[in-house]
Coordinates of all heavy atoms in Angstrom, one line a residue:
N78 N -5.8 93.9 152.0 CA -4.9 92.8 152.3 C -3.6 93.4 152.9 O -3.2 94.5 152.6 CB -4.4 92.2 150.9 CG -5.4 91.2 150.4 OD1 -6.1 90.6 151.2 ND2 -5.4 91.0 149.1
G79 N -3.0 92.7 153.8 CA -1.8 93.2 154.4 C -1.5 92.6 155.7 O -2.3 91.7 156.2
L80 N -0.4 93.0 156.3 CA 0.1 92.4 157.5 C -0.3 93.4 158.6 O 0.2 94.5 158.7 CB 1.6 92.2 157.5 CG 2.3 91.5 158.6 CD1 1.8 90.0 158.6 CD2 3.8 91.5 158.4
Y81 N -1.2 93.0 159.5 CA -1.7 93.9 160.6 C -1.0 93.5 161.9 O -1.0 92.3 162.2 CB -3.2 93.7 160.7 CG -4.0 94.4 159.5 CD1 -4.1 93.7 158.3 CD2 -4.6 95.6 159.6 CE1 -4.7 94.2 157.2 CE2 -5.2 96.2 158.5 CZ -5.3 95.5 157.3 OH -6.0 96.0 156.3
S82 N -0.6 94.5 162.6 CA 0.0 94.2 163.9 C -0.7 95.1 164.9 O -1.0 96.3 164.6 CB 1.5 94.6 163.9 OG 2.2 93.8 162.9
C83 N -0.8 94.6 166.1 CA -1.4 95.4 167.2 C -0.5 95.5 168.3 O 0.3 94.6 168.6 CB -2.8 94.8 167.6 SG -2.7 93.1 168.2
F84 N -0.5 96.7 169.0 CA 0.5 97.0 170.0 C -0.3 97.5 171.2 O -1.2 98.4 171.1 CB 1.4 98.1 169.6 CG 2.1 97.7 168.3 CD1 1.6 98.0 167.0 CD2 3.4 97.1 168.3 CE1 2.2 97.6 165.9 CE2 4.0 96.7 167.2 CZ 3.4 97.0 165.9
Q85 N 0.0 97.0 172.4 CA -0.8 97.3 173.6 C -0.3 98.7 174.1 O 0.9 98.9 174.3 CB -0.7 96.2 174.6 CG -1.6 96.5 175.8 CD -1.8 95.3 176.7 OE1 -1.0 94.3 176.6 NE2 -2.8 95.3 177.5
N86 N -1.3 99.6 174.4 CA -1.0 100.8 175.1 C -0.8 100.6 176.5 O -1.4 99.6 177.1 CB -2.1 101.8 174.8 CG -2.2 102.1 173.3 OD1 -1.2 102.1 172.6 ND2 -3.4 102.3 172.8
P87 N 0.0 101.3 177.3 CA 0.7 102.5 176.8 C 2.1 102.2 176.3 O 2.8 103.1 175.8 CB 0.7 103.4 178.0 CG 0.8 102.5 179.1 CD 0.0 101.2 178.7
H88 N 2.6 101.0 176.5 CA 4.0 100.7 176.3 C 4.3 100.3 174.9 O 5.5 100.3 174.4 CB 4.6 99.7 177.3 CG 4.4 100.2 178.7 ND1 5.0 101.3 179.2 CD2 3.6 99.7 179.7 CE1 4.6 101.5 180.5 NE2 3.8 100.5 180.8
G89 N 3.3 99.9 174.2 CA 3.5 99.5 172.8 C 4.1 98.2 172.5 O 4.8 98.0 171.5
E90 N 3.8 97.2 173.4 CA 4.4 95.8 173.1 C 3.5 95.2 172.0 O 2.2 95.3 172.1 CB 4.3 94.9 174.3 CG 5.0 95.4 175.5 CD 4.1 96.0 176.5 OE1 3.0 96.6 176.1 OE2 4.4 96.0 177.7
R91 N 4.1 94.6 171.1 CA 3.4 93.9 170.0 C 2.7 92.7 170.6 O 3.3 91.9 171.3 CB 4.3 93.5 168.9 CG 3.4 93.0 167.7 CD 4.0 92.2 166.7 NE 5.5 92.3 166.5 CZ 6.0 92.6 165.3 NH1 5.3 92.8 164.3 NH2 7.3 92.7 165.3
R92 N 1.4 92.6 170.4 CA 0.6 91.5 170.9 C 0.1 90.5 169.9 O -0.3 89.4 170.2 CB -0.7 92.1 171.7 CG -0.3 92.8 172.9 CD 0.3 92.0 173.9 NE 0.6 92.7 175.2 CZ 1.4 92.3 176.1 NH1 2.0 91.1 176.0 NH2 1.7 93.0 177.2
D93 N 0.1 90.9 168.6 CA -0.4 90.0 167.6 C 0.0 90.5 166.2 O 0.2 91.7 166.0 CB -2.0 89.9 167.7 CG -2.5 88.6 167.2 OD1 -1.7 87.7 166.6 OD2 -3.7 88.4 167.2
T94 N 0.0 89.5 165.3 CA 0.3 89.9 163.9 C -0.6 89.0 163.1 O -0.6 87.8 163.2 CB 1.8 89.6 163.5 OG1 2.6 90.3 164.5 CG2 2.1 90.1 162.1
I95 N -1.4 89.6 162.2 CA -2.4 88.9 161.4 C -2.2 89.3 160.0 O -2.1 90.4 159.6 CB -3.8 89.3 161.8 CG1 -4.1 89.0 163.3 CG2 -4.9 88.7 160.9 CD1 -5.3 89.7 163.9
Y96 N -2.1 88.2 159.2 CA -2.1 88.5 157.7 C -3.5 88.4 157.2 O -4.1 87.3 157.3 CB -1.2 87.5 156.9 CG -0.6 88.2 155.8 CD1 0.8 88.4 155.6 CD2 -1.4 88.8 154.8 CE1 1.3 89.1 154.5 CE2 -0.9 89.5 153.8 CZ 0.5 89.7 153.6 OH 1.0 90.3 152.6
L97 N -4.1 89.5 156.8 CA -5.5 89.5 156.3 C -5.5 89.2 154.8 O -4.8 89.9 154.1 CB -6.1 90.9 156.6 CG -7.6 91.0 156.2 CD1 -8.5 90.1 157.0 CD2 -8.1 92.5 156.3
H98 N -6.2 88.2 154.4 CA -6.4 87.9 153.0 C -7.8 88.0 152.6 O -8.7 87.3 153.2 CB -6.0 86.4 152.8 CG -4.7 86.0 153.2 ND1 -3.6 86.1 152.4 CD2 -4.2 85.5 154.5 CE1 -2.5 85.6 153.1 NE2 -2.9 85.3 154.3
I99 N -8.1 88.9 151.7 CA -9.5 89.0 151.2 C -9.7 88.2 150.0 O -8.8 88.1 149.1 CB -9.7 90.5 150.9 CG1 -9.4 91.4 152.1 CG2 -11.2 90.7 150.4 CD1 -10.1 91.1 153.3
G100 N -10.8 87.5 149.9 CA -11.0 86.6 148.8 C -12.5 86.3 148.7 O -13.4 86.9 149.3
T101 N -12.8 85.3 147.8 CA -14.2 84.8 147.7 C -14.2 83.3 147.8 O -13.2 82.7 147.5 CB -14.8 85.3 146.3 OG1 -14.0 84.7 145.3 CG2 -14.8 86.8 146.2
P102 N -15.3 82.8 148.2 CA -15.4 81.3 148.2 C -15.4 80.8 146.8 O -15.8 81.6 145.9 CB -16.8 81.0 148.9 CG -17.3 82.3 149.3 CD -16.5 83.4 148.7
P103 N -14.9 79.6 146.6 CA -15.0 79.1 145.2 C -16.4 78.9 144.7 O -17.3 78.7 145.5 CB -14.2 77.8 145.2 CG -14.3 77.4 146.7 CD -14.4 78.6 147.5
R104 N -16.6 78.9 143.4 CA -17.8 78.5 142.8 C -17.6 77.2 142.1 O -16.5 76.8 141.9 CB -18.3 79.6 141.8 CG -18.5 80.9 142.5 CD -19.6 81.7 141.8 NE -19.3 83.1 141.8 CZ -19.9 83.9 141.0 NH1 -20.8 83.5 140.1 NH2 -19.6 85.2 141.0
E105 N -18.7 76.6 141.7 CA -18.6 75.3 141.0 C -17.6 75.4 139.9 O -17.7 76.2 139.0 CB -19.9 74.9 140.4 CG -20.9 74.4 141.3 CD -22.2 73.8 140.6 OE1 -22.1 73.7 139.3 OE2 -23.2 73.6 141.3
P106 N -16.6 74.5 139.9 CA -15.6 74.5 138.8 C -16.3 73.9 137.5 O -17.2 73.1 137.6 CB -14.5 73.7 139.2 CG -15.0 72.8 140.3 CD -16.2 73.5 140.9
T107 N -15.8 74.3 136.4 CA -16.3 73.6 135.1 C -15.3 72.5 134.9 O -14.1 72.6 135.2 CB -16.2 74.5 133.9 OG1 -14.9 75.0 133.8 CG2 -17.2 75.7 134.0
V108 N -15.9 71.4 134.5 CA -15.1 70.1 134.3 C -15.3 69.6 132.9 O -16.4 69.5 132.4 CB -15.5 69.1 135.4 CG1 -14.7 67.8 135.3 CG2 -15.5 69.7 136.8
T109 N -14.2 69.2 132.3 CA -14.3 68.4 131.0 C -13.3 67.3 131.1 O -12.3 67.4 131.7 CB -14.0 69.3 129.8 OG1 -12.7 69.9 130.0 CG2 -15.0 70.4 129.6

Side-chain angles (χ1 to χ4, degrees):
N78 281 332
L80 191 64
Y81 290 79
S82 300
C83 57
F84 305 87
Q85 186 166 17
N86 299 326
H88 302 297
E90 304 99 332
R91 190 196 336 233
R92 293 297 182 194
D93 204 358
T94 307
I95 300 169
Y96 213 121
L97 180 66
H98 305 269
I99 306 304
T101 60
R104 300 211 217 159
E105 281 189 12
T107 58
V108 184
T109 53

